[in-house]
């Protein structure tokens, strides 16, 4: 096993572990906002890492075989990773804002400045 | 080497099924939206890995289009929930 | 006109990246280059007012936008790893103390607010919930409010980030 294959497996394992933690958090946390902590951070990080594992694997295969199909695959996967990192954060803002406007209050909260500001 | 990719796709599919528990339980519409958003992210990750397993670049293009379309759909659901539509 | 040209260049470069490896002129075929040129013209004509909404072309300066990858790979990535370990700890132990607090940033530009909101969402135990359009203050949900922080009306942005001073980086890039 070369170093790039070991690194690929490592990235894939990190991605799957953090995706699993995100989904466990989605099932276990008590209210919407804490669930969003688990899903936005952990699943974005995990999915970006599984995608980066694909990029690394294609770079390794390109170095081994110099078949240009692999470098195309790697570039497209890198663009997917970028798109994931941007769109997940923005859609989580949108859901959090809409939930607060539709009357979902944070449970067990010690303070809620947004409620006091009345926006 | 291919085997570990197949196991990863299987794990992602199990995680998607677990998300559906939260999708059914709710309790509010916003919780369900969060669950759908998570399912979308995991589906994109699974599509990219499947593109590598079958050596098809078109699968990854489909994942890219799916990412952007699911982003737009989530924004519209959020607008609707916030009463701004 | 400048906004049209910038949007055209951005769309055309993205199209060329996505179709790399299709032919022999460089790595592109002639039909892909012609199709990309026409599509980029059409896309730029439609969307030029969305990309450059504020009529502000500071970000066209390479010294600014080339700092963004440095920012993402360097300080931002360290904070993301720390945030994910923190979330993993809280998922497994359920040791939480949530609350919505108010953050004052002092940033004025749209891109600066966007980068700060995204950085807050992806880093330390916080997600952005809403923004005050007049004062540009952010309301964020913190999963573990520090002792005594619930009594303070406004909190400075750099107190959120323990390892790297991300707001200073964002100010250098976008302001």
């Amino acid at each position: 096993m070369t170093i790039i294959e070991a690194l690929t497996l490592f990235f894939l394992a990190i991605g799957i572990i953090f995706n699993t933690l995100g989904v466990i958090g989605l099932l276990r946390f008590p209210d919407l906002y804490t669930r969003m902590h688990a899903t936005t951070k952990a699943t974005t990080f995990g999915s970006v890492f599984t995608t980066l594992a694909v990029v690394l694997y294609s770079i390794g295969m390109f170095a081994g075989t110099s078949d240009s199909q692999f470098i195309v695959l790697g570039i497209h996967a890198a663009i997917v990773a970028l798109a994931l990192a941007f769109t997940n954060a923005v859609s989580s803002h949108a859901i959090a804002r809409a939930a607060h406007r539709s009357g979902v209050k944070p449970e067990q909260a010690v303070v809620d400045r947004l409620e006091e500001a009345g926006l | 080497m291919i085997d570990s990719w197949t196991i990863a796709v299987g794990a992602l599919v199990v995680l998607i099924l677990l998300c559906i528990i939260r999708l059914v339980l709710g309790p509010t519409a916003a919780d369900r939206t969060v669950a759908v958003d998570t399912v979308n992210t995991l589906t994109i990750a699974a599509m990219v890995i499947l593109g590598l397993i079958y050596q098809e670049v078109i699968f990854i293009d489909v994942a890219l289009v799916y990412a952007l379309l699911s982003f737009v759909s989530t924004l519209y659901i959020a607008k609707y929930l916030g009463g701004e539509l | 006109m400048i906004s049209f040209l910038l949007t055209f260049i951005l769309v055309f470069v993205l199209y060329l990246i996505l179709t790399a490896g299709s032919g022999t002129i460089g790595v592109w075929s002639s039909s892909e280059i012609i199709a990309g040129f026409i599509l980029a013209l059409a896309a730029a004509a439609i969307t030029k007012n969305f990309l450059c909404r504020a009529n502000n072309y500071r970000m066209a300066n390479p010294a600014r936008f080339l700092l963004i990858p440095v920012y993402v790979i360097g300080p931002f990535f360290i904070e993301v790893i720390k945030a994910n370990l923190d979330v993993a700890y809280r998922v497994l132990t359920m040791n939480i103390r949530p609350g919505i607090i108010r953050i004052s940033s002092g940033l004025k530009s749209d891109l600066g607010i966007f980068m700060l909101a995204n950085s807050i969402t992806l880093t330390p135990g916080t997600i952005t919930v809403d923004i005050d359009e007049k004062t540009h203050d952010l309301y964020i949900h913190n999963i573990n409010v520090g002792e005594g922080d619930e009594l303070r009306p406004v909190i400075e942005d750099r107190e959120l980030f323990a390892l790297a001073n991300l707001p200073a980086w964002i100010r250098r890039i976008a302001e």
Side-chain angles (χ1 to χ4, degrees), chain C residues 1-11 40-41 43-57 60:
Chain C
M1 192 61 210
I2 302 173
S3 60
F4 176 80
L5 210 62
L6 284 176
T7 319
F8 170 75
I9 291 170
L10 202 70
V11 176
L41 277 180
I46 295 167
T47 61
K48 64 173 193 269
N49 293 331
F50 295 104
L51 184 70
C52 307
R53 213 171 48 144
N55 274 326
N56 180 342
Y57 304 108

Side-chain angles (χ1 to χ4, degrees), chain A:
Chain A
M1 185 182 278
T2 61
I3 188 158
I4 208 154
E5 281 182 3
L7 209 58
T8 306
L9 274 183
F10 178 64
F11 273 28
L12 194 62
I14 287 183
I16 297 294
I17 288 168
F18 276 100
N19 275 337
T20 313
L21 283 170
V23 174
I24 292 173
L26 178 69
L27 293 173
R28 274 189 78 186
F29 274 135
D31 78 317
L32 172 79
Y33 299 98
T34 43
R35 273 172 211 146
M36 286 183 70
H37 279 285
T39 58
T40 53
K41 282 195 256 299
T43 40
T44 306
F45 189 69
S47 300
V48 167
F49 259 80
T50 53
T51 313
L52 282 183
V54 172
V55 175
L56 262 184
Y57 180 78
S58 7
I59 291 172
M61 289 300 280
F62 178 71
T65 63
S66 62
D67 180 356
S68 70
Q69 190 204 350
F70 286 109
I71 206 75
V72 173
L73 204 126
I75 290 171
H76 286 220
I79 291 175
V80 172
L82 267 182
L84 269 181
F86 275 101
T87 58
N88 263 341
V90 177
S91 55
S92 85
H93 300 167
I95 299 170
R97 182 163 183 268
H100 205 279
R101 287 187 170 222
S102 71
V104 180
K105 297 285 171 277
E107 280 172 33
Q108 308 173 8
V110 291
V111 60
D112 191 345
R113 295 276 172 223
L114 181 54
E115 178 75 36
E116 291 160 20
L119 279 175

